[in-house]
Every structure is written in C-alpha cells, then in structure tokens.
C-alpha cells in the first residue's frame, strides 16, 4: 500500500522521468545518461527528484574533471594521512554490551527484541513498470 | 566574569567569587536573550543546572576536578550526547536520542564541564554557512553590532531592519555564535574542510583544528572518516590549549587515534620570535581574496618580520587542485557514511512497508535535504566501477601530492604557515543563498580544506575588524602533531593584535540593546 504522499510524488516524478528519457538523446542530457541516473538512484537509494538535481550532478562531474590535468604518474593513492602507522586493535574480550533495551528504544518498529523490517529481496520497480494509476 | 579566560574563571570559582550555579544561570539567561540568533538547537537547562549543582558541591569540599570544573560549554549537534537529542540538523535524526556520549563529550563531562546545549549547524555538517539545517540558519551576532548597523542603515530604511543579517559561516556556526555571545566558554565543533575555522573567522573567535589522529572521533557522526576532526572554539588561544589538553590522547574506541602518549601542556608565552620561520604560500593569493583580508594578511606578515622572525614565500604547487580533490573524496566518503541511515534501527522511518528497498528509498528521500542527497549521488557516481579509477583513485593520488607539498615546505625549515582563513568578512544571508551549497563550499573552503587533506593542525585567530565592522581572522598551519608549537605562535600573535575581549564585549552590549528595544521583533523572527 503506497502512502498517498508518495503516490503523488511518484506520479510527478515518473512523469518527469518519462519526459526526460523521451526527449533526451542516448547519451543523456549533457554527460549523464538516463541509465546512469537510474543506476545511481538504485545504488544510493536516494532519488534525484528534479531536473535541477541532475544538472547539479553534471556540474559536480564537470568540476571533478579538472583532476585530469594533474600528472599523477608513479604516485600511489593516499587513503589516510596516518598510513605509516598501524591501526590500534583492541584485545578480543567482551567489555561492554547487554544494552539491548536501550538500543531498541530508538527504533520505530520493534517486536520483542527484533527490529521489524518490511520484506526484503524485492527490488525497486523498473522505471517502465511504475504505473501510478494501478495502485489503490 | 563572562569576559574572562578559562583559567581566570576557574580561579574565581575556586576562590568562591562566583559559584558554578550562578555562572550557569548567567549563561542560560544570555542564551534566552540571544535566542533570535538561532545558535542552539537544544538547550539542556535541567542537565546544566544539575551539573552545576554537583560542581558546586565539589568546590565546597575543595575537590574540584580541574580547570574545566563548572565551566559552561556547548557541543555541536553532530556529537552524540547520551540522553540529549542529537539531530545533526536533519529530519533523519529528529528525535534521535543517543544511548552514549561521544568520547570528547565524555572527557569534558568527566572534567566537570557544564553542558549548556547542542548548537546549530548545516545539515550533517555539509555546508559553509550554517544555513542549510532543518532548524533554520544561524545569524551572525556581528550583524547586530552598532558599527555594522550604522554602516548598513542607509540600505535598510523602510524595510525590516533585520533583513540584512549576516551568516556565521559553517558548518559549526552555532558553536561559533555561542562562544562569541558569551553563552559558553568553549564549544566543540567539527572540522572536515574548515568547518571550525571558517565560522570562527566570521564570528571573531578562535577556531582550532587539531592534527588528525590526536583527538578521538568516537561519537562524532562521521562525514569524511579520513578528514574529520573534532574542533575547539574559544575566545582566546590559551583556552583552546586547555581544552585540547583534556581531549587529546589515544582512545581505544577510535582506532584512528595515535597511540603516542599525550600530556596536558601549558602554553608558554613567547617573547622572542627571531628563531621562527613563517611561510606565506604564494598560491593562496587569489583574485577572489578581498583586498581588506589581503592587506591584513600582509600586515600580519610584516608584524612577524618586524619582531625578528624570518618570513618567506613558499609554494604549495597543487593548491589549485585541492578543492577539486576534496570535492571528490568528500562526496565519495559521504556516500558511504550516509548509507547507515535506513530507518530501521534509529532515526526517521517512513510509512511504506512494501519492501525494504522501497522503505529505505522513501525514508532517505524524506530524511535528507537536497544538499545531502546531492552529495550522496555525486559520491556514488565517482565510486561506480567505470569511474573509480578516473575519479576516486585519481583524487587519492592528488591527495598525496597535496600532502607532500606541505611536507616539503615544512622540511625546508618553515615552522608555521600564515594564510587567510576566509576570502572576505561574513556576507549577508541574502547574498549567500544566491549560489548553491556546493558552489559556496568550493569557494569558501579554499584556504582551509587542504589542511584537512594533509591532516595538519591549524588555527584561525581573529585579527581585526574590517571597514564594515566585521571580524577577520587569519589562519596558522603547523606540522603534524606539533599542535603545541602552533598554539604557542598563535598565542603570541593574539597578544600582539589584541582583538578578542574588547570587541566581543562591545558586541554583547550592542546585542543586549537590540534585544531590549526589539523584543517584539525577536518574537516575530522565531521560525
């Protein structure tokens, strides 16, 4: 059962996306193709929501492209400024815990000592499959 | 009393000139008076009074815990505080009450500090103006200084007098405003790209970023794991050093803290700077730098030189790429760090129950604002298989080049670098919002974020007021883990320029008069 707010949001969002892909060329508007947009939305589980957001991403990518001008031949990537040191590891002993009740307090849906999640292994519908009018 | 340094107040508390409860009450009433600035998200009045009471008992028995016992402090709202709501100024964490204290918060509380409240910030510390949180923007207290209002009076006649208010800078704007208005003696901020130093410069306070690995990040809701550092905001350099002494040191709960032993230190007062070598990076002279800031920068360099220090021009050749590199690394780490917010175990959860994926997607759409979502999507783009090598790995390589630039400069005999902190003084909110968050961050972080990439300590010290009557700060950058030396130099500079106390006290008189005269306006300003 889709919440009403999401249905309205989805309707306009799908309409926008349909318009977008039908008008755009295969490469997409500028640098980011529609497939990449959909892919990103699935990976991030965050949607663009508007044309402006896509435009912002394209600007961000154009900005990042400036890195190509730097000569990094023979340079190793740097993951951390403390790469010359070893990370500290604690000894494998239990020193704290037994706070299930405290931790469960922050969750919205809880049954006994379980966090309740909706069913998994159901991917988000494909863009074509999303038909707002078929939901009740 | 509020205008004194930490050491002076601590002495006053020991001698009984004032009690912790009186001090706490004074700060609480100031918080109420300056509510229109929107610096605090949560004011923990009951907790504060209880802590003050306990501190008072300790003082009566003569068992005070140290220099911070009974001292009011504020904490940025992205540090976990047990029992007190921690929101990161986001819908995603509204109503979230952590079950534990961040290590730095715990350390301060163990020293007897009194927690006034959680301060406002940009959502998830993403931004350079403290304007993008769900609780509204933070107003710079200097917007209400007599001098600034006089200068802008001619622009505001007829309109609402408050329409020209200035941003505090960000993202720790609430903390900076809280310290500048005397509602606390020290505040914790976080610094990922300049988020402590930027608002410190705009609000006329000291903003210190310790070396990466010196202070624990456990409990600081992470933005960029390889660059985040808890920052310290105070009204003078000595106070920052005292707080650092309490916070620095290895934490078994944060394995990125170094294991070198750390002892609390007292800053010596430098009298002779002739053995000092100050570096001025030439690439930091950019056309966007305001002429006022540039002239203050030159003045500072000349000051060192006239007192016998060696002042030389140095080069950090990859400076122009540092902001781009930061942009890629930051968004990539953000994409990863924000993945934990799915609504299942804590935080906001939407009503959809069709599937976990749908629930996650809707929760995240509802919980995050545009800025956060934009960064997550950009980060995911740079981390895609086809882009990983060209963007993420490339940025990591450029990061090494930038870090090496600093190493080379320090190896050539330079002790401390002197640079501006910001391009100009604080700008009006109406002007700031004309550009989007990413553009603004790219512009405003230009002097500050290279330091985070190299993990070096840096401090912004307020130098003087601009022609408009607004504070301008300069930044000192030190060698890694040479925080004490850096603060010693900063303290000498602070003594020479004599900024903090007098200007801030006049500011508070101005703010108070604003409050008295415009009580009605303050009510209507509340959002």
């Amino acid at each position: 059962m889709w919440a009403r707010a999401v249905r309205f949001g989805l309707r306009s969002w799908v309409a926008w996306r349909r318009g977008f892909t039908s008008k755009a060329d295969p490469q997409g508007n500028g640098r980011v193709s529609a497939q990449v947009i959909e892919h990103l939305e699935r990976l991030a589980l965050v949607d663009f929501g508007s044309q402006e957001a896509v435009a912002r991403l394209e600007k961000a990518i154009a900005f990042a492209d400036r890195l190509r001008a730097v000569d990094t031949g023979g340079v190793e990537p740097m993951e951390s400024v403390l790469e010359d040191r070893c990370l500290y590891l604690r000894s494998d002993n239990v020193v704290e815990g037994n706070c299930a009740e405290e931790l469960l307090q922050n969750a919205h849906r809880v049954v006994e000592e379980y966090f309740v999640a909706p069913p998994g292994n159901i991917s988000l519908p494909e863009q074509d499959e999303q038909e707002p009018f078929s939901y009740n | 009393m509020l205008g004194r340094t930490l050491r002076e107040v601590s002495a006053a508390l020991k001698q009984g000139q004032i009690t912790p409860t009186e001090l706490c009450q004074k700060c609480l009433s100031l918080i109420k008076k300056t509510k229109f600035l929107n610096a605090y998200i949560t004011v923990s009045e009951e907790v504060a009074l209880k802590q003050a009471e306990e501190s008072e008992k300790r003082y009566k028995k003569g068992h005070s815990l140290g220099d911070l016992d009974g001292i009011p402090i504020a904490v940025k709202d992205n540090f976990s505080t047990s029992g007190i709501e921690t929101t990161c100024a986001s819908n995603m964490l509204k109503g979230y009450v952590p079950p534990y204290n961040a290590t730095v918060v715990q350390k301060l509380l163990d020293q007897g500090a009194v927690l006034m409240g959680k301060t406002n910030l940009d959502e998830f510390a993403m931004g350079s103006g403290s304007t993008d949180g769900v609780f509204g923007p933070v107003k710079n207290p200097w917007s209400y200084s007599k001098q600034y209002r006089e200068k802008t009076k001619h622009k505001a006649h007829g309109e609402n007098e408050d329409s020209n208010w200035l941003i505090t800078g960000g993202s720790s704007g609430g903390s900076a405003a809280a310290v500048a208005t005397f509602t606390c003696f020290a505040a914790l901020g976080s610094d990922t790209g300049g988020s402590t130093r930027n608002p410190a410069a705009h609000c006329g306070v000291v903003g210190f970023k310790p070396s990466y690995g010196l202070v624990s990040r456990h409990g600081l809701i992470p933005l960029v794991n390889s660059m985040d550092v808890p920052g310290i905001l105070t009204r003078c350099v000595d106070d920052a050093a005292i707080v650092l002494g309490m916070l620095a040191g290895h934490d078994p709960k944060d394995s990125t803290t170094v294991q070198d032993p750390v002892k609390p230190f007292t800053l010596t007062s430098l009298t002779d700077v002739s053995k000092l070598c100050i570096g001025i990076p030439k690439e930091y002279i950019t056309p966007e730098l305001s002429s006022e800031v540039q002239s203050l920068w030159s003045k500072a360099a000349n000051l060192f030189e006239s007192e016998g220090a060696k002042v030389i021009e140095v080069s950090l050749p990859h400076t122009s790429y540092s902001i781009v590199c930061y942009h890629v690394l930051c968004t990539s780490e953000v994409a990863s760090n924000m993945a934990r917010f799915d609504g299942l175990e804590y935080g906001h959860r939407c009503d959809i129950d069709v599937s976990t994926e749908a629930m996650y997607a809707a929760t995240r759409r509802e919980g995050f604002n545009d800025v956060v979502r934009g960064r997550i999507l950009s980060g995911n783009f740079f981390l895609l298989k086809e882009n990983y090598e060209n963007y993420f790995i490339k940025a990591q390589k450029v990061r090494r080049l930038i870090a090496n630039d600093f190493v080379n400069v320090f190896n050539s005999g330079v002790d401390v670098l002197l640079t501006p902190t910001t391009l100009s003084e604080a700008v009006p909110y109406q002007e700031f919002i004309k550009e989007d968050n990413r553009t603004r961050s790219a512009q405003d972080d230009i002097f500050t974020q290279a330091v985070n990439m190299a993990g070096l300590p840096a401090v912004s010290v307020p130098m003087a007021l601009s022609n408009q009557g607004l504070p301008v700060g300069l930044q000192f950058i030190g060698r890694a883990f040479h925080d004490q030396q850096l603060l010693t130099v900063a303290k000498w500079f602070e003594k020479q320029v004599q900024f903090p106390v007098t200007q801030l006290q006049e500011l508070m008189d101005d703010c108070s008069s604003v409050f008295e005269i415009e009580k009605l306006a303050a009510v209507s300003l509340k959002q």
Side-chain angles (χ1 to χ4, degrees), chain B residues 453-474:
Chain B
M453 297 230 278
L456 302 172
V459 61
S460 173
V461 180
M463 180 173 175
L465 290 183
S466 69
N467 289 335
Q468 293 232 54
L470 301 174
V472 172
L474 291 183

Side-chain angles (χ1 to χ4, degrees), chain A:
Chain A
M1 204 71 86
W2 293 92
R4 202 177 292 154
V6 176
R7 198 190 307 148
F8 285 145
L10 250 189
R11 200 177 286 158
S12 52
W13 176 77
V14 169
W16 163 68
R17 280 281 296 279
R18 290 235 168 107
F20 181 78
T21 41
S22 60
K23 286 181 203 156
D25 56 18
Q27 276 306 304
N29 191 6
R31 326 175 59 91
V32 185
S33 69
Q35 289 117 308
V36 173
I37 289 181
E38 193 176 332
H39 189 42
L40 285 177
E41 286 183 338
R42 274 168 192 283
L43 281 179
L45 284 178
V46 156
D47 62 348
F48 279 89
S50 69
Q51 196 92 11
E52 281 100 32
V54 180
R56 262 181 271 153
L57 173 66
E58 287 170 353
K59 264 198 241 161
I61 298 168
F63 188 57
D65 279 335
R66 289 197 220 168
L67 281 180
R68 289 172 203 260
V70 187
D71 176 17
T72 50
V75 180
E76 284 298 302
M78 177 187 244
E79 271 142 22
S80 164
V81 293
L82 300 176
E83 57 190 359
D84 295 332
R85 301 174 190 244
C86 288
L87 279 181
Y88 169 77
L89 292 176
R90 289 187 278 184
S91 50
D92 194 9
N93 299 320
V94 175
V95 293
E96 56 187 357
N98 275 329
C99 51
E101 211 180 287
E102 267 185 284
L103 296 175
L104 289 167
Q105 265 173 24
N106 274 314
H108 280 252
R109 301 240 178 112
V110 162
V111 167
E112 292 181 17
E113 293 204 329
Y114 291 89
F115 294 107
V116 178
N121 275 328
I122 303 173
S123 15
L124 281 179
E126 289 284 341
Q127 194 221 331
D128 306 323
E129 288 164 18
Q130 275 163 7
E131 185 54 71
F133 302 102
S134 67
Y135 297 127
N136 294 327

Side-chain angles (χ1 to χ4, degrees), chain B residues 51-122:
Chain B
Q51 288 169 347
E53 221 181 279
E54 283 164 15
S55 173
E56 204 164 312
K57 287 190 199 137
R58 286 192 292 266
Y59 273 108
K60 284 213 176 95
K61 290 191 195 148
H63 294 155
S64 82
L65 294 168
D67 278 338
L68 280 183
D69 203 342
I71 304 287
I73 52 147
V75 167
K76 186 174 177 184
D77 208 15
N78 59 356
F79 285 92
S80 305
T81 42
S82 173
I84 302 175
E85 192 186 2
T86 299
T87 62
C88 295
S90 173
N91 277 322
M92 187 57 90
L93 289 178
K94 243 188 196 171
Y96 168 65
V97 179
Y100 68 105
N101 276 323
T103 300
V104 289
V105 173
Q106 189 62 54
K107 283 189 174 180
L108 289 175
L109 294 177
D110 286 344
Q111 290 289 322
V114 175
L115 180 60
M116 291 286 116
K118 309 299 289 297
T119 57
N120 204 350
L121 59 154
D122 280 305

Side-chain angles (χ1 to χ4, degrees), chain B residues 308-383:
Chain B
K310 191 168 147 205
V311 178
I312 56 172
E313 191 185 73
V314 295
S315 175
L316 296 168
H318 294 94
T319 300
S320 56
Y321 298 107
S322 68
I323 195 75
V324 186
C325 178
Y326 173 75
H327 162 73
V328 174
L329 291 177
C330 175
T331 49
S332 302
E333 293 219 30
V334 160
S336 169
N337 277 323
M338 294 293 125
R340 71 192 66 194
F341 298 109
D342 55 18
L344 263 183
E345 290 154 28
Y346 45 78
H348 172 68
R349 179 175 174 149
C350 69
D351 290 327
I352 293 171
D353 257 345
V354 180
S355 69
T356 33
E357 293 231 352
M359 190 274 273
Y360 292 164
T363 299
R364 289 157 71 82
R365 181 192 310 126
E366 290 168 18
F368 293 138
N369 72 358
D370 286 338
V371 175
V372 180
R373 286 176 19 218
R375 289 206 194 186
I376 293 173
L377 289 163
S378 304
N380 274 303
F381 180 84
F382 299 132
L383 292 172

